Amino acid sequence: MALPPHTETRKFTRGLSKPGTAAELRQSVSEVVRTSVFVVKPKLIEPLDYETVLVQRKTQILSDVLRDMLQFPLEDFQILTLRRQGRTLCPTVPENAEKEAHSLFVQECIKAYVSDWHVLNYKYEDYSGDFRQLPHKVPRPDKLAVHVFEVDEDADKDEDTASLGSQKDGVSKHGWLYKGNMNSAISVTMRSFKRRYFHLTQLGDGSYNLNFYKDEKISREPKGTIFLDSCMGVVQNTKVRRFAFELKMQDKSTYLLAADSEVEMEEWIGTLNKILHSSFELAMQERRNGDLHDDEELGKADSYSGSLDSFQSTRDIEAKFRSETRLKLFTLDPDTQKLDFSGIEPEVKPFEERFGKRVLVNCNDLSFNLQSCVAENEEGPTTNVEPFFVTLSLFDIQNTRKISADFHVDLNHPSVRQMVPGAGVQLMNGDGDSPQGGQRLPSGLPEALLQYPRQGVFSVTCPHPDIYLVARIEKVLQGGITHCAEPYMKSSDSNKTAQKVLKNAKLACSRLGQYRMPFAWAARPLFRDASGTLDKSSRFSALYRQDSGKLSNEDMFKLLADFRKPEKIAKLPVILGNLDVTIDNVAPDLTNGVTSSYIPVRQFETNGRGSVLFEVEEFVPCIAKCSQPFTTYNNHLYLYPKSLKYDSQKSFAKARNIAVCIEFKDSDEEEAQPLRCIYGRPGGTLFAKNAFATVLHHQQNPEFYDEVKIELPIQLHEKHHLLFTFYHVSCDSSSKASTKRRDQVETQVGYAWLPLLKDGRVIMSEQQVPVSASLPAGYLSAQEGVSKHSGPEVKWVDGGKPLFKVSTHLVSTVYTQDQHLHNFFQHCQTADPAGPVAGGELVKYLKSLHAMESHVMINFLPTVLNQLFRVLTSATHEDVAVNVTRVMIHIVSLCHDEGLEHYLRSYMKYVFKTEPFGDPGARTVHEELAKAMTTILKPSTDFLACNKLLKYSWYFFEALVKSMAQYLIESCKVKLSRNQRFSASFHHTVETLVTMLMPHITQKFKGNLDAARNANHSLAVFIKRCFTFMDRGFVFKQINNYINCFLPGDCKTLYEFKFEFLRVVCNHEHYVPLNLPMPFGKGRIQRFQELALLSPSVESHDPAVDLQLDYSLTDDFCKNHFLVGLLLREVGGALQEFREVRQIAIQVLKNLMIKHTFDDRYTSKSQQARLATLYLPLFGLLQENVHRLNVKEVSPFAISLTNNNGREDSVLASAMVTPQKPGSGLENSSLHKDLFGVISGTASPHASSTPNINSVRHADSRGSLISTDSANSLPERSSEKANSLDKNQPASALGSCSILRCDKLDQAEVKSLLMCFLHVLKSMSEDALFTYWNKASSAELMDFFTLIEVCLLQFRYMGKRYIARAGMTHARLQQLSSLDNSYTFNHTYSHSDADVLNQSLLEANIATEVCLTVLDTLSIFIMGFKTQLCTDHGHNPLMKKVFAVHLCFLQINQSETALKQVFTSLRTFIYKFPCTFFEGRADMCASFC
C-alpha cells in the first residue's frame, strides 16, 4: 500500500530540497518589474541608401573640410602574395617534381608545398578591433599630476604624528585631558568629566583642529573634533575643577577641559592662544590682499561697462588657466588603465614545420677495455682492436613504439677504419661502384662533409620518462656473438688477448668487411618528466651482450621494461667498455644542421668539417592531436626485414649464415638496375644501390632488427618494388677459402620481392612473402606458390610458403595510406566532370571522406581543402556543393575538437585561393558556399551538421569574405561602384543566409548555446567585412533585419548576443564614414551655415524642431546616422532592463567612445568635435533617465555648509553603511539657510519657499533633483516632456513607451554613462553647445544642469583613507563571495599601499578634470545666457540651478588646482550678477554662509 507523500516530513524540511529559491525570487521580481513597464517593440527605421546618398551629396562631401571623415579611403584592401619562407637553404621539392608527378594527389601536394602565401590585407585593419588593439596604444600616463586635497592632508597628519610640526611655524601638542559637558558649563560636575587623549593637528590651509580619542591610538577615527578656527579665546576656569580651562566659540558655546597639573594646563593654554593669535594675523593679511584684488577687479570691470567683450575676455583668461595640463577623461578611466587581453585574438601565423621537444645527441667515444695498436709497425695510438658501428634510436616503452629513425655513427679511429677494405667508399653498403671524389649533393653540399656524422638532433612530440635512447653496437661478421664477445668480457691478460683478437679481426675485415653482426646494446632514459626536462645526469648503462635469440624490437621492449629493475638487469652478460654519448637541449639558433633528407637548413656554414648536425626523423604517433599539416616535401620509406624461416626448406643445403641484400627497382626486366636511393652508412656514399642486414652465425631462422631508409621516387608506379636477395656467407677463415675470390664467400640462396603499390597505395602493413629459388625476367607477374602459363616459371622455396617476414613504414608528404582520401582524388582525376554519372559518383566519394583517418586529415589539410573548394565550383550536380560543405564541416569540427583550429585559421589566411577568374559565368566559391550553407541551415536537414555549421561558422564566413575579395580584384570589379560589384542573385543569397541564421540564434539558442554564440559573433564579423566589399546600404538592411529579431524583455543571453553583434560591427575601421557625420536636411544645413551669425542670446524662435534633429534619437537621425543611431537606441532600451543587461550595453558604448578618443586618425579638435555630433542624442538619453543617476545608496553625498572636509569624510563613511533618510544628515546640525531667509525677511519661520540644497540632494523625486523650484513636481515635468516628445515624434529608446523605470543605476553604470556624457560635452564645439541650450526647453536645461551636478558628485575625490578602507572591504567581499571584479565597487580598488596610492592618484586627477570640464561648460553658458539668468533680478529657477552647481564645487573635496579655478569662476559669477546677491532678497547670498 502506497503511503501518501510527505506524511512524515515537515514543510520546512520539504522546502530545503528546493535549490535556488532566493535566485528564483530575485528573477521573478525582476520579471515583474520589467513586465510591469509597458514595453513595446521599437519601430523599425529603415536605413538610408548609403551609395545613393554618396552620389547625391557628392558636392557637399567634397567641399567639407573634414571630408576624410565622410569617405572610405581608396584601395582599402588588397591581395598580397608573400614569398614562402622555408627553413632550408634550398627548396625541399626536387627539381622538375611537378612535371614528373602524374597522380593528382601528388601534384596537389607538391603545389601546396611550393606555392606562395595569398593574404587578404585590409589597409586599416589595425583600427577594426577594440580600443586596446589600436596601432598606437591607448596612452597610460607615465606620470600623473599630484593634486593636493585637504582631506588627504588631514589623513596624513592623523596617521603620522611625527610630521605634524614639520610645517613652517607649525605647532604640535598632544596629551591626556579631562573633557567636560560641552553643551552647558553650568551643570558640569566632577563626575561629568571624561578622560580623553587630545591631539592638536594642523590642516593644509593652516587652520587647526583639536581631535580627542579614547586612547593614544590616533590612527583611528577621533571621537570628536573641536574646530579652532571658530574659537574666540582660551581662559582659565577653576570653578568646577582644578587645572581647568575653557575654549570660547563664536556661537557663544564653550568647551571645558582640565589637565592633570598646573604646568600642563598652562602649556595647553599658551599653545592654544599662540595658535589663535597666528590665525588672526593670517586672516587679516588675506583680507587686506583680497580687498586690494577686489578693488583692482572692480576698476577693470567699470571700464568695460558690463559689455559682452568684458565677459568674453574674462572667460578667455579663465579658459587659458584651465586649459593648462589638461588630460583626456578617458585616459583616466579605470577600463583604459586595466590590462585586458580577453578580446585580443592570437596572431595567425603561416604554416611552418613544428617539432616536439628537440634533443641534441653528441656521440663522443666508444672504447672497450680490450685495446691495442692496430698499426703493423705498432706505431700509433692505442685503440679498439677492431671496428665497431653504433646505431642510436628512441624507444617508447609506454606505447611500445619505436619513435625515431636510426642514427648511424662511426666512432672508430681512422687507423681502425682502414682495416675494412674500401673504407670511405660505399663498399660497406655492398656496392662495387666507387664514387667520384669531391661529389656534391643537389643542395650543393660536398658529400665528404656528411660522411661521418657524430651529432644527431632527435625530436619527441610527446615526451615522458619512459622514453629510452638505445644504442645497438655491431661489428664485422666473424662468427657467433658469444664466441666473439668472450675476449671483451675478461679483464686478465688483455694484451695477449688483444693481439689474438686483432689478428682474427684483420682477417675477417679483409674477407667479410661488408657484413655486420650484432654485438652489444646499451640504453639510457631521456627525460625526467612529461614536460620534456632532459635527464642529463644519467649516462649510458653498461654494454650488454646481444642475445642471438632476442634481437627484434619486440625483444628490446621487453628488456627495456625491466631496465629499472636491478635484479633483472644484473643477470645480463656485460661487455667491458664505455659508450660516451651526451644529450643536451637544442639551441633556437641552430647552425650547420641538415634535414633527414640531407638538405641544409638556414645558417649553414660549410667551413667546419665534422660539426654538421643531422636531424633524425621522428615517427609521430598516428593521432590527430600530435599531427600537423605537412609543409615540406618528404618521401621516405623505412624497410624492416623481420625474420626468415629456412629450417624446413630443401632447396639450399648450406643456408646458415644468411645475409639479406635489399634493392629498390623500377622494373623486373632481366637487365634492370637497382636505383641509387638507399641511404648509406657512415664512411660510404650518401646514397647506395643496396643495403645488407646484419648476419647471424649458424642460424637457419634468423631474426633481424635492421632499418633501411629509402628515398622514394616522386611518382610511383606498379613496377616499383623491393627485391630481396638471400646469401649464405662462408665464415670459415681457417680454410683456403679466404684466399679465393669474393663470389665464393657468398652463395645465393633465394630471392623475394615486394611490390610497393597495392590498389594504388603504398603498402604499410607487415607482409609475409614467399621465397623463390630463381629470378626469371618478369617475376612480378608470377603468382605466389604456383606457376601459371601467363607468368614466368618460378621455382618456389619450400612450396611457396611465406617464409620471409618484412614490414614497411611510410613517412611521406605526397602519398597517403588512407583509402578514402586516395579514392576521392583518384575519382577527381579520372572522372569527367561533365559526365551524367559524375555527380552522383562524386557525392559517394565525398561521403566516404567522413571516414578518413583524423591524423591523415590534419597532415594533408591544405591539399584536401584546396581540392574540396575546387570541386565546389566545378561540379554541376546539385548535391555536390552541399556534400562538399558537409565534408568541410566534418573537417573543421574535428580540428576544433582536437584543439587544432589554429591550422584552419592559418589555411584560411595564407593558403586559401580561389581558382583564377575566367569565364564570366563561372561559379564562384562565395556564391556556391553561401547557397550550400543556406541549404544545410534549413530545418529539415541534418541537425548535427547544422549545429556544427553554426558552431564553427567563422571558417565558412572567412571563406566567403576571402573569395569575394579575390573575385573583385581578379575580375577588376573592384573599380566599379558598390551596387554593380556582385550579382543580384548573390545579394539575394546573402540575405537568405542571414535570414536562415536568425531563428537559430534568436530562438533555438537554448538547445545549443555555444553554437548560437559563435554563429552570432561570426555573422557580425562577416557583416562587418561586407562593408568593405558590398553595397553598404544593403549591409545596413541586413543589420536592421537581424537586430529586429531581438525584442525588449529578452533574456540576458539574447542581450549578450545583440550587443556582441553591435560591438563587432561598430568596431569597423571606417565606422565614422559609415555614420556620415555631416548635416542632413535643409534645416540642419541652414543651422550650420548660420551658426556663426546666430547670437547666443537669441531665443525667440521655436526651440523644438532643430533640437530633435540633432540632440535626440529622431527617425531622421537614426536613418541618416544608422549605426550610431541603432546603438544608442539599443543602449536606451537596455537601460530599462536589469543590471547585467545595462552593464553590457553601457560597456559597448563606452568602449566605442574610448576608441574614437584615441584613434590617431581623428586627433584634431575639429575632428573630435565632429565625432561628438554623432553622440549628441546621448544628452536626451541621459535626461530620460536622470532620475536614476543619483545613486545615494552606493555612494552617498552629504553637504557640510561649514565646508569642513574632515567632518564630511566621517559622515560619508558612516553613511556608506547606513544611508541617511531624506531630510536628515548635516542639515539638522548645521545652520539652515532658511534662518537667513527669516532674518532677511524673505521667508516665513514656518514655511520655506526655497528648499534646502541638502534636501534636494537627498530627495528621491525627480522634480527635487532637477530643480530648486518647488513648484516643478515630477508629474508636471513628465507630462511636459511627454507632450514635447510627442509633438516632434522622436525615436525614443523605448519606442512608443513613455513610462520609465524608477530603480537606481549602479555606481559603475552611472560613472560610465557620465564619463561618456562628459567626453561629448568636452569635445563638442561651443557653437553646438549654444545651439543645444537655445533650442532646449526649460525642463531640459534643468536636467542638463542636474547631470552636471551629478557628475561633480559622482567623480568627487574621497581621500586616500576612504580608498584604502574601500579596498579592504572589497577584498573581504571577494574572499567571501568571489565577486566579479568588473562589477564591484569602483572597479579597481585594492588594499596594498602601492595600489591605494595609484588609485588615489587616478581618482584625484579624474575629480580635477571633471571639475575643470564643468567649469568650462558653466563659463560658456554664463557668457551666452546672461539675460535669462538676470530675469526677476536673478531670482529664477535657472539662476538658482546654475548657482547650485557653483555651490556644489565648494561642498565637495577639491584639489588646490581646481579650487583656484573655482574661486576665479565664483568671483566672475558674482561680479556679473551683483543684483542677484546684493539687491532684494538675500537668500542666495545667505547660501555662501
Side-chain angles (χ1 to χ4, degrees), residues 1055-1297:
Y1055 272 103
E1056 288 177 348
F1057 287 178
K1058 176 164 65 176
F1059 281 102
E1060 171 66 10
F1061 182 89
L1062 289 173
R1063 179 190 71 81
V1064 172
V1065 170
C1066 291
N1067 271 334
H1068 191 277
E1069 58 264 39
H1070 304 310
Y1071 167 84
V1072 175
L1074 283 171
N1075 282 297
L1076 292 176
M1078 66 180 188
F1080 281 84
K1082 181 180 177 182
R1084 185 163 182 176
I1085 294 176
Q1086 285 181 342
R1087 181 171 58 79
F1088 267 75
Q1089 292 172 344
E1090 299 171 2
L1091 204 53
L1093 304 174
L1094 181 65
S1095 171
S1097 59
V1098 175
E1099 297 182 8
S1100 57
H1101 58 283
D1102 181 25
V1105 178
D1106 286 347
L1107 167 67
Q1108 296 299 329
L1109 285 173
D1110 289 316
Y1111 300 91
S1112 66
L1113 291 169
T1114 62
D1115 289 358
D1116 283 342
F1117 181 91
C1118 293
K1119 177 181 178 181
N1120 297 330
H1121 314 287
F1122 175 70
L1123 285 180
V1124 70
L1126 180 64
L1127 177 62
L1128 289 175
R1129 285 181 74 202
E1130 294 301 331
V1131 170
L1135 289 180
Q1136 309 307 313
E1137 299 294 331
F1138 47 93
R1139 186 187 68 177
E1140 288 85 355
V1141 170
R1142 299 196 304 260
Q1143 289 168 337
I1144 294 167
I1146 293 169
Q1147 199 65 37
V1148 170
L1149 176 64
K1150 187 175 81 169
N1151 286 357
L1152 186 59
M1153 295 182 70
I1154 293 174
K1155 180 181 174 182
H1156 297 331
T1157 306
F1158 299 109
D1159 192 327
D1160 57 9
R1161 298 173 295 173
Y1162 311 121
T1163 53
S1164 72
K1165 191 174 181 180
S1166 59
Q1167 288 171 321
Q1168 285 293 318
R1170 182 68 68 89
L1171 270 171
T1173 62
L1174 293 175
Y1175 294 94
L1176 294 179
L1178 190 62
F1179 285 18
L1181 196 64
L1182 293 181
Q1183 286 168 355
E1184 285 180 359
N1185 295 277
V1186 70
H1187 60 295
R1188 306 171 66 196
L1189 298 177
N1190 192 17
V1191 191
K1192 302 185 302 298
E1193 293 80 1
V1194 177
S1195 183
F1197 46 84
I1199 297 171
S1200 169
L1201 293 181
T1202 62
N1203 192 27
N1204 187 287
N1205 294 320
R1207 281 166 72 178
E1208 181 186 345
D1209 187 24
S1210 61
V1211 173
L1212 283 166
S1214 62
M1216 186 174 173
V1217 180
T1218 308
Q1220 297 179 1
K1221 296 179 180 179
S1224 66
L1226 290 178
E1227 61 188 75
N1228 296 330
S1229 60
S1230 305
L1231 294 174
H1232 198 289
K1233 67 176 183 179
D1234 282 353
L1235 177 61
F1236 295 99
V1238 174
I1239 295 171
S1240 61
T1242 60
S1244 164
H1246 304 292
S1248 173
S1249 62
T1250 307
N1252 172 18
I1253 293 177
N1254 291 310
S1255 61
V1256 171
R1257 296 291 178 281
H1258 287 291
D1260 285 331
S1261 71
R1262 187 179 174 203
S1264 61
L1265 255 178
I1266 57 177
S1267 174
T1268 53
D1269 186 355
S1270 60
N1272 287 334
S1273 62
L1274 179 59
E1276 294 168 340
R1277 290 291 309 284
S1278 298
S1279 62
E1280 176 189 351
K1281 181 167 276 190
N1283 293 336
S1284 170
L1285 295 177
D1286 290 340
K1287 175 182 175 183
N1288 297 290
Q1289 298 179 349
S1292 167
L1294 303 179
S1296 59
C1297 168

Side-chain angles (χ1 to χ4, degrees), residues 284-296:
M284 293 300 294
Q285 181 64 36
E286 286 182 353
R287 182 173 181 180
R288 285 192 294 270
N289 294 341
D291 291 343
L292 179 61
H293 180 73
D294 290 345
D295 291 342
E296 291 173 356

Side-chain angles (χ1 to χ4, degrees), residues 1346-1388:
T1346 297
L1347 286 173
I1348 292 285
E1349 201 171 359
V1350 173
C1351 288
L1352 289 173
L1353 294 163
Q1354 281 294 333
F1355 292 106
R1356 70 192 183 281
Y1357 179 71
M1358 302 298 291
K1360 294 177 184 175
R1361 182 182 292 174
Y1362 181 88
I1363 292 170
R1365 285 201 305 270
M1368 293 175 68
T1369 304
H1370 172 59
R1372 290 186 192 124
L1373 286 173
Q1374 278 192 320
Q1375 290 174 357
L1376 292 172
S1377 58
S1378 301
L1379 292 178
D1380 183 3
N1381 193 38
S1382 59
Y1383 295 143
T1384 46
F1385 185 74
N1386 268 2
H1387 300 283
T1388 55

Side-chain angles (χ1 to χ4, degrees), residues 324-340:
E324 294 177 359
T325 65
R326 295 291 292 274
L327 292 169
K328 293 178 180 177
L329 271 171
F330 280 132
T331 307
L332 306 169
D333 189 271
D335 284 339
T336 61
Q337 297 295 314
K338 285 189 296 187
L339 290 174
D340 182 8

Side-chain angles (χ1 to χ4, degrees), residues 180-220:
N181 192 322
M182 293 189 181
N183 294 325
S184 174
I186 301 174
S187 60
V188 173
T189 62
M190 288 290 290
R191 290 186 178 180
S192 66
F193 279 90
K194 295 181 179 179
R195 185 175 170 85
R196 294 288 183 263
Y197 190 81
F198 280 77
H199 188 205
L200 184 64
T201 61
Q202 186 178 15
L203 304 182
D205 58 358
S207 62
Y208 286 85
N209 284 355
L210 190 57
N211 299 323
F212 53 88
Y213 307 83
K214 277 192 173 183
D215 51 35
E216 298 182 14
K217 296 181 180 178
I218 60 173
S219 60
R220 298 178 180 176

Side-chain angles (χ1 to χ4, degrees), residues 651-667:
S651 302
F652 305 101
K654 294 183 178 180
R656 293 186 302 278
N657 311 325
I658 300 175
V660 183
C661 177
I662 299 110
E663 295 173 317
F664 185 81
K665 289 192 170 188
D666 60 357
S667 172

